[in-house]
Structure formats: structure tokens, C-alpha cells
Amino acid sequence: MGSPYSLPLLALSVALLSLGLAGAAAAPVQIVGVEQPSAMPANVDGTWAGASAYHLWCFNQTVRQDTLRVMQQHQLRVLRIFVSHCDDVGDVEAPVGVWNDTILHRIDQLMYEAHAFGVKVTIALHDRWMLGCNARDAYVAKYSIPVLPHCSQYDPLRFGNDATVFYQSPSARSDFKNRLTHILTHQNPHLANKTWAQLSDVLFSVEPENEPQSIVSELAADWQCDMTSHLRALLDAAAMRAPMSVVSGAPASTASAASSRGVVRSPVLVTTGGSFVEVFDPLLTAACPGVDVLTIHAYQGSLALAVRIAEYSVAARKHGKRFIVQETGATAATAAAKAAALRSIYGTTLAEGNVPTMVWSLSKTSHAAPDFGIWPGDAAFDVVAGAAALAAAADSEQRWPELP
């Protein structure tokens, strides 16, 4: 797909990226309440950038707020996190169906802080890699999922952690829907006691799981449709009950109008979390009624990324959906090589339609080469910050009214 904006602007984009220039910083806000959050500059014709900091809720207040301040200053408008155990905080259910809301309380606080900094949040409500690959949660024991202490989807021994039963079993699906319901009906005491499903001023999107169906011997083609439809039903039901803004108590500005059947569509998007099914057939996932946004996870370099973008663009157009690069990043032996790799990646996402791109990951505590993390002061961060500024200023083929 060619660039939708002018060649002079594209040339400027590439030139600025090659210099590693970042956008101008905005003044940080203090956490004094949520009545008047500090909004980032908006460009409805441009696009946006974001970052994963998947366990940011697990860190202390200083790290959390420093991270959100960096995002605010450098136009990283969406933060992606996971509901999965971290350090001494266990998962939300252990055993399956027995709830421990400690994680949710931690995320309540992070949501409050993110809202004050004008950063929206994407939440993956589970992580596939907790299913016996590097870690294990309650589903591993209940469904006898084989455990592999260290694995990845590229590991030749990966099928030692075959999680097919989790996606195929009707009982597991029912249990997992209970998890999704429990999380989205949890109330945030810091944000007018709204349920998470009602927090359209705070949430950009929710997704059933991070990287579902990675390492399975048999794909369950309907799992993503099943789970995203469940999420969409929960979100829309919440919008029908109380389609209210957290800040003012007025109707949410981005709430969808009632359809001819009187159903309100929640403005909180449903994303796919980098589904492994999408890698083979993005058209299949794009056809799911509950899916709003397809999500590319790509770490194989800029040429492979360009191919993926073209495929996802076709699938999204065909089914009236949108798509983003939700995970991408670089690891290298030196800071310069890491920055060069990111420069190539972001040059591609800018050139191929100015696709919203989220870096893996923004990390104050782990960002030196060869780690994937980035932080201000790194050459790699300068590339990402510069790309975020360019993305907001340049035209885009997709529109994002959820980020006014």
C-alpha cells in the first residue's frame, strides 16, 4: 500500500527519523484528581503511537507516573497492559473461578493515573504465555496443559507446551468467559465506581488474551470470534445501562448512537491481541462480528512487516475493520544497532499508510541493549518519540475518534 500523504512529507519523515529527533515535550501534569485530565494534542486526520508496559501496574508509584509522564510528553497515547501474575501478586483466579482481585485493584489505580495524564489503556485480560510456557496459571492445572519451563513460538520444542485443550474444550471456554465477565464487571473505586466496561474515557480497547493460540497443535478457528463477541456484548450492555463520561457525568462524547434496534455500541474497542490465527488468515479474524481492530505483532524486520501490513489492510477493508501494529520492537548488541532497527520499522509503518504503532516496550528499569525496552536518553527512544510526533502530524488512511 502506498503512502496516503505527500512525498515531501514522507521525505521529511524519513529525514527526521534518520536524525533520531523527538517531538516537543508537553508540560507534565500532577496527579490531583480526574476532574480535569490533561489531554494530549489531537489530530483527527493523523494517527497515534503507543507503548506496551505490560506489568506497569506491578511497579511503585514513581515508576508508574514517570512512565505515564514520558508517554504524555512524547505523544505515546495508548498504554497496553496484561492481567497476569507479577512478582508476589497472583493471577485474578486461583483455582479457576475463585477470584482474587488484587491485580484488578492495582490496575484500578493505574487507570486513575493514566486518565490524569491523558493516556488511554488497552488491557489484555489474559496472557497465553501463562499457560505453562515460562509460567503457569490456574488453567494449567485444571486442564492438564503440559508445561515447558522456557519456550517461545519459535522454539523447536515448543509443542511440549501444546495448549490446544484450552481453546478447544467447551468447559475451558465457559470458564474463560466467566473470567472476562468478572474482570469487565469489576468496579473502579477511583473512577466514580464505574465498572471497567463503562470506562470509555479511560479504556481504548480490551482483548481476550495476549497472543492467543500461539503453540497449539490444532487451531480453533472460532475461538477468537467467540471470545470477542462475548466482550462486545459485555461492553454494549454496560453502555446501555450507563453510557456516561467518567469526567463529567454527561453522555460519553464518543459513545455510538443507538442503532435501529435500540442497541448502544460502546466506544471501547475490541482488539485481537496478536492472535496466531491472524498470522495465517487475517480475513478470518476480520470477519468476526465482535472484532473492531486487528493487531499485528511483528519482530521479523521491516520487510516482513510491510507484507503483514498489506495483508491486514486488505482484510480490514473487506470487513469494515481497522488494524494496528500492536507489538514491535528491536533487540541488538549495541544501542546504535537497536536504534537503526527501530528506525527501519517505524519508517515502514509511516510509509505504508501511517499505521498506528506500539513499541515493545517502554521500561524505566530494563532498557539497555540488548533488551527490548526503551527509555528517554536512549537513541532507540529518540527514534520512537520522533516517529510518534510524525505520525500525529501526517495524514492517515484510518480514523480514530476514540482518541479525541
Side-chain angles (χ1 to χ4, degrees):
M1 171 173 41
S3 170
Y5 46 88
S6 67
L7 287 176
L9 182 53
L10 176 58
L12 175 62
S13 300
V14 174
L16 288 174
L17 283 171
S18 69
L19 293 173
L21 296 179
V29 302
Q30 301 299 315
I31 300 292
V32 295
V34 297
E35 287 74 23
Q36 293 182 336
S38 177
M40 295 186 184
N43 180 351
V44 296
D45 293 323
T47 194
W48 54 273
S52 288
Y54 69 111
H55 278 161
L56 184 59
W57 55 265
C58 193
F59 287 86
N60 63 40
Q61 183 183 56
T62 298
V63 173
R64 293 195 311 269
Q65 293 190 12
D66 284 352
T67 301
L68 292 167
R69 185 174 293 109
V70 165
M71 294 186 71
Q72 180 197 55
Q73 291 173 339
H74 297 283
Q75 301 187 57
L76 298 172
R77 304 188 65 194
V78 178
L79 166 71
R80 182 167 176 256
I81 60 172
F82 299 171
V83 179
S84 64
H85 82 79
C86 171
D87 295 342
D88 61 340
V89 181
D91 190 32
V92 73
E93 52 182 329
V96 172
V98 177
W99 309 109
N100 177 353
D101 288 348
T102 302
I103 286 179
L104 307 187
H105 296 317
R106 295 277 195 99
I107 296 175
D108 286 338
Q109 179 63 34
L110 178 63
M111 284 182 178
Y112 169 84
E113 294 166 348
H115 184 62
F117 280 96
V119 174
K120 279 203 160 186
V121 182
T122 285
I123 306 181
L125 305 182
H126 187 249
D127 183 9
R128 182 270 174 260
W129 304 110
M130 296 295 105
L131 296 174
C133 177
N134 306 319
R136 64 185 78 183
D137 63 17
Y139 293 99
V140 173
K142 181 168 182 178
Y143 292 102
S144 301
I145 299 171
V147 173
L148 197 62
H150 302 286
C151 66
S152 77
Q153 64 188 54
Y154 308 110
D155 187 336
L157 301 177
R158 63 189 178 277
F159 288 107
N161 177 232
D162 184 354
T164 297
V165 64
F166 176 76
Y167 302 99
Q168 298 278 3
S169 164
S171 176
R173 290 192 184 202
S174 177
D175 284 340
F176 193 66
K177 286 179 182 178
N178 289 339
R179 177 192 180 95
L180 303 183
T181 299
H182 178 80
I183 294 172
L184 286 190
T185 55
H186 173 79
Q187 294 174 288
N188 189 325
H190 309 301
L191 295 169
N193 217 35
K194 299 289 187 182
T195 68
W196 283 17
Q198 294 170 333
L199 293 176
S200 59
D201 287 342
V202 180
L203 292 179
F204 175 72
S205 73
V206 293
E207 52 201 31
E209 185 178 60
N210 173 56
E211 298 185 343
Q213 301 202 71
S214 297
I215 313 181
V216 292
S217 57
E218 181 182 352
L219 288 172
D222 66 331
W223 187 90
Q224 188 74 283
C225 289
D226 193 13
M227 296 305 158
T228 54
S229 290
H230 186 70
L231 288 180
R232 175 48 61 195
L234 290 169
L235 293 168
D236 291 350
M240 283 289 288
R241 287 193 300 270
M244 307 296 283
S245 164
V246 168
V247 177
S248 65
S253 60
T254 55
S256 303
S259 73
S260 59
R261 295 177 297 165
V263 176
V264 174
R265 187 173 177 86
S266 168
V268 179
L269 298 172
V270 176
T271 42
T272 58
S275 169
F276 200 60
V277 174
E278 287 176 51
V279 176
F280 295 101
D281 188 0
L283 284 164
L284 181 65
T285 302
C288 293
V291 168
D292 298 304
V293 182
L294 304 175
T295 55
I296 298 173
H297 289 197
Y299 294 89
Q300 289 78 45
S302 57
L303 292 178
L305 177 58
V307 172
R308 296 279 301 282
I309 288 173
E311 293 172 346
Y312 277 58
S313 177
V314 169
R317 286 175 180 271
K318 180 177 177 61
H319 292 284
K321 307 298 172 69
R322 289 172 283 175
F323 72 101
I324 63 175
V325 178
Q326 188 184 57
E327 277 193 29
T328 191
T331 179
T334 67
K338 184 174 171 180
L342 283 169
R343 189 173 299 119
S344 178
I345 290 167
Y346 277 88
T348 297
T349 60
L350 282 164
E352 299 296 330
N354 196 9
V355 182
T357 303
M358 302 181 70
V359 68
W360 185 280
S361 60
L362 185 62
S363 175
K364 183 177 182 180
T365 59
S366 180
H367 57 91
D371 289 341
F372 277 98
I374 63 168
W375 192 253
D378 302 341
F381 180 87
D382 291 343
V383 172
V384 172
L390 291 164
D395 196 11
S396 172
E397 292 185 349
Q398 302 182 95
R399 298 292 179 261
W400 301 94
E402 300 81 11
L403 295 170

